[in-house]
Amino acid sequence: MNKRIRILLIQALLVSLLLFSCKKPTPKDLAKENLIPQPDSLVATGSSFDWTAKTKIYVQEKQEGSQQVANYLAKLIAPSTGFTPEVKRVTNPADKKGIALILSDDTILGDEAYTLKITEKRVVLEAHQPAGLFWGVQTIRQLLPAKIELDSVQKGPWELASGIIKDAPNYQYRGAMLDVARHFFGVEDVKRFIDLIAAYKMNVLHLHLTDDQGWRIEIKSWPNLTTHGGSTQVGGEKGGFYTQNQYSEIVNYAQERFITVIPEIDMPGHTNAALASYACLNANNKVTELYTGTNVGFSTLDTDKEITYKFIDDVIGELAALTPGEYIHIGGDESNATKKKDYISFVNRVQKIVSSHKKKMIGWADVAAAELEENSLAQFWQTKPDNAIKAVNQNVKIIMSPANRAYLDMQYDSICPLGLHWAGYVDVKKAYQWSIESFAEGISKENIVGIEAPLWGETIETMDDIEYLVFPRLPGYAELGWSKNTNKSWDGYRIRLGQQKERFGYMNINYYQSPLIPWADRENEKIIQEKETK
C-alpha cells in the first residue's frame, strides 16, 4: 500500500469518526411518552439524550442521599445495557455532560417532589430529599426503552426524550397491602412485591402478618405463636413465618426503595392462630384448634384478662423495635365475637399501648367506635363510609381503601379464576375511574392521607397469583394517589396502560390482559411501520 492510499484511508477514517461523534440526536416527543403515574407538568423540546457506555452519573460532594440513589440507578440499568456507569462526586454536577442527581436546598420542593431536565448533553434530576430523586429515577426508567427491564444485555440505543418534567405527589400515603397470613409468602416474594410497587411510585407496604389462619412474625417472648400458630395456612398446607432478622431484611429492602413498612397485628378478632398457641388468651383457658378455612368473625381475645394486654404489650414492643416507620396497624375489623363495650375499651387500651412504644395506631375504620387519638389513622374498607365518617368526626385522618373500588382480591369479572366478589367485581376501569376525595360524602381531601390497595390472601398461593390480581390494576391506584385530578381521564389512561404491555412482559409480570385495555403489540407495530416505509 503506497503512502497516498494510506493517507486517504486515514482521512476517510477520521471523517467517519467525526461524523459518528457528531451524530444528530434522535427527535423524540416527551409528551408522547406513556408515563404512569402521569406527571404534574411536562414540556417537550423535541430532541433526546443518548445514554452510552461512556455516560457517567454525577452527584454533589457530601450528599450521601444522592449517592445512594445514583448507585441504585447504576445498578438498575447495568444488566440490560451492559454499561457500568461510574458514579462521581463533583462540585457542580449540573455542569457535567451525563446524568446529574442533585439534592436542592429549595424547601418549596416537597419531600417527594422532583424536577427532571433532559437536554441533548445532560440529564439533571433535582429534588429536596432523596425520596424525590428516587421517584425521579422511576420516571427515567419509564422513559428508557422497555427492554431496560431485562436482565441480559440488549442492543441500544438508550435514548431519553428531551424536555422538562416537574412532578410531586397529590397524596403522601400511596400504599399496597399484602396478606401473608392466609397464605404465607417468603422474603424473596415480598421483595419482588416491593420492587413492583416501587416502580410506580408507591411508598407504603402494609403487611398483614397475623390472622385466624396463621401468625407470621417471630415474637421471642411468645415463641409458640410461630412454631404452632404459624405452622399452617388456608387449605391445611404447611405455613411459615419471618424470623425477626428476616423481617428486618424486608424492612431494610423497602427503606432502600423509600417504602415504609407498616406491620399489622389484627385484633381482637382474626386471632385464632394466637388463641391456638396460648390457652391463657382464651376465656376458657383452653387452646383452640388451628384453623385453615376462610370464614371470618368467629374469634376474639379475652378482653377482660390482664394477660391479654401483657401479651399485646410484648408483641407491639418487639415489633416496634424492629419497625422504623411511625405506624403499627392493630386491625380491629370484623370482631363479631367481641361485645361492643368490650371492643371499645379494648381499642382504647391498645391505642395507649401503641403510643407507649412511640408509635401511632392505624386501625380498620371499625376502630372509630372507640375514642381515637388525633394522630391515629382509620382505614376505610367497607362499602359504606359510616365508620370512616365517625373517625373524621374525631379529627382522625383516613386511608382510602373502599373494597368495591380498591380491593385487589376482588375478581375482575365472573370468570376470573382468582379472588372473591363479596364487594362486587372490580374491573380495570372501575378500579381507576373514581376520585379519592369525592368518593364518599363527608370525607373530603383534607380528611385523607392517601390510598391503599389491599390484597387479601384467601385464593392466592403463588407469586403468579399475586401478580395476576395486582396487575394491571396497581398502576391505576398509583396514579390515583400521585397525580392531580386535572390530569386524570380514563380514555387517556387506558392508552398509556396499554403501552405498558411490553414493559410488563420484560418485567416478567403475570398480568391479566383486560379486554378494556388496548394492549400495544410492538411486533405488529413494527410490521406496520415497515410496510408504510416501503
Side-chain angles (χ1 to χ4, degrees), residues 74-143:
K75 186 177 180 181
L76 178 73
I77 64 102
S80 54
T81 63
F83 305 158
T84 53
E86 181 184 358
V87 177
K88 294 193 70 174
R89 295 173 181 261
V90 295
T91 305
N92 296 305
D95 294 338
K96 300 292 184 180
K97 291 183 179 180
I99 316 286
L101 272 59
I102 302 169
L103 286 175
S104 169
D105 292 332
D106 188 354
T107 56
I108 294 176
L109 290 171
D111 288 350
E112 296 183 287
Y114 67 90
T115 300
L116 180 61
K117 298 178 182 178
I118 303 169
T119 67
E120 295 173 358
K121 293 182 178 180
R122 60 182 59 89
V123 175
V124 179
L125 174 59
E126 187 173 0
H128 180 54
Q129 295 291 343
L133 292 179
F134 186 80
W135 303 132
V137 163
Q138 302 311 314
T139 299
I140 291 173
R141 177 180 182 177
Q142 286 196 34
L143 291 175

Side-chain angles (χ1 to χ4, degrees), residues 125-293:
L125 174 59
E126 187 173 0
H128 180 54
Q129 295 291 343
L133 292 179
F134 186 80
W135 303 132
V137 163
Q138 302 311 314
T139 299
I140 291 173
R141 177 180 182 177
Q142 286 196 34
L143 291 175
L144 287 164
K147 58 189 175 183
I148 197 72
E149 306 294 346
L150 289 169
D151 58 5
S152 59
V153 176
Q154 306 296 308
K155 186 178 179 181
W158 303 97
E159 297 170 329
L160 297 163
S162 67
I164 300 173
I165 293 174
K166 294 182 179 180
D167 205 7
N170 199 22
Y171 286 97
Q172 70 183 60
Y173 188 113
R174 306 175 308 280
M177 189 207 81
L178 182 61
D179 173 10
V180 296
R182 269 50 176 266
H183 283 98
F184 180 68
F185 292 89
V187 172
E188 293 309 310
D189 283 339
V190 178
K191 286 181 177 180
R192 164 81 168 163
F193 192 76
I194 288 169
D195 282 329
L196 292 175
I197 68 174
Y200 292 95
K201 301 185 176 73
M202 299 188 95
N203 65 353
V204 174
L205 171 63
H206 170 183
L207 280 178
H208 184 77
L209 290 168
T210 68
D211 214 298
D212 291 315
Q213 298 85 355
W215 187 284
R216 307 302 182 199
I217 179 67
E218 176 189 22
I219 303 298
K220 293 183 178 180
S221 54
W222 297 73
N224 211 38
L225 290 170
T226 47
T227 55
H228 184 64
S231 63
T232 190
Q233 59 183 358
V234 166
E237 296 179 5
K238 183 180 178 182
F241 65 92
Y242 308 116
T243 65
Q244 293 194 359
N245 285 340
Q246 288 173 323
Y247 175 77
S248 293
E249 183 181 346
I250 290 169
V251 168
N252 292 337
Y253 191 84
Q255 273 192 307
E256 290 169 359
R257 286 147 185 80
F258 298 89
I259 290 173
T260 299
V261 172
I262 296 177
E264 179 186 353
I265 305 297
D266 206 348
M267 52 186 160
H270 289 280
T271 46
N272 192 76
L275 301 175
S277 302
Y278 287 97
C280 61
L281 301 176
N282 292 274
N284 62 4
N285 291 315
K286 295 180 181 178
V287 294
T288 61
E289 295 294 324
L290 289 170
Y291 182 68
T292 60

Side-chain angles (χ1 to χ4, degrees), residues 334-368:
E334 298 174 322
S335 294
N336 303 336
T338 315
K339 293 179 181 178
K340 186 173 182 179
K341 65 179 182 64
D342 295 336
Y343 176 85
I344 291 171
S345 63
F346 176 87
V347 172
N348 286 337
R349 189 162 176 183
V350 172
Q351 184 173 225
K352 290 182 172 61
I353 292 172
V354 172
S355 296
S356 74
H357 292 287
K358 312 301 184 198
K359 300 294 181 184
K360 300 171 187 175
M361 185 189 81
I362 300 177
W364 300 104
D366 313 51
V367 298

Side-chain angles (χ1 to χ4, degrees), residues 380-388 404 439-440:
F380 171 20
W381 67 277
Q382 291 145 318
T383 54
K384 294 183 179 179
D386 301 19
N387 286 327
N404 57 354
F439 179 75

Side-chain angles (χ1 to χ4, degrees), residues 445-510:
K445 185 173 183 180
E446 65 181 8
N447 309 127
I448 299 169
V449 294
I451 183 174
E452 180 180 291
L455 178 61
W456 298 100
E458 287 92 340
T459 67
I460 55 173
E461 299 180 21
T462 67
M463 194 67 210
D464 276 352
D465 293 345
I466 289 175
E467 292 171 8
Y468 185 84
L469 289 174
V470 170
F471 284 90
R473 289 182 287 200
L474 181 124
Y477 296 130
E479 182 153 300
L480 287 175
W482 182 280
S483 304
K484 293 181 172 57
N485 275 338
T486 53
N487 291 352
K488 298 170 191 166
S489 87
W490 165 250
D491 289 337
Y493 174 72
R494 65 191 288 268
I495 299 299
R496 286 183 288 118
L497 182 59
Q499 294 295 323
Q500 297 281 310
K501 177 181 179 179
E502 188 178 23
R503 195 169 297 269
F504 287 173
Y506 289 146
M507 293 172 77
N508 199 28
I509 295 173
N510 181 45

Side-chain angles (χ1 to χ4, degrees), residues 413-470:
D413 54 34
S414 62
I415 60 173
C416 183
L418 297 169
L420 307 171
H421 59 267
W422 62 264
Y425 300 109
V426 181
D427 61 32
V428 181
K429 182 177 182 180
K430 189 176 180 182
Y432 178 82
Q433 200 172 33
W434 61 288
S435 168
I436 297 173
E437 54 264 35
S438 60
F439 179 75
E441 187 176 349
I443 305 176
S444 59
K445 185 173 183 180
E446 65 181 8
N447 309 127
I448 299 169
V449 294
I451 183 174
E452 180 180 291
L455 178 61
W456 298 100
E458 287 92 340
T459 67
I460 55 173
E461 299 180 21
T462 67
M463 194 67 210
D464 276 352
D465 293 345
I466 289 175
E467 292 171 8
Y468 185 84
L469 289 174
V470 170

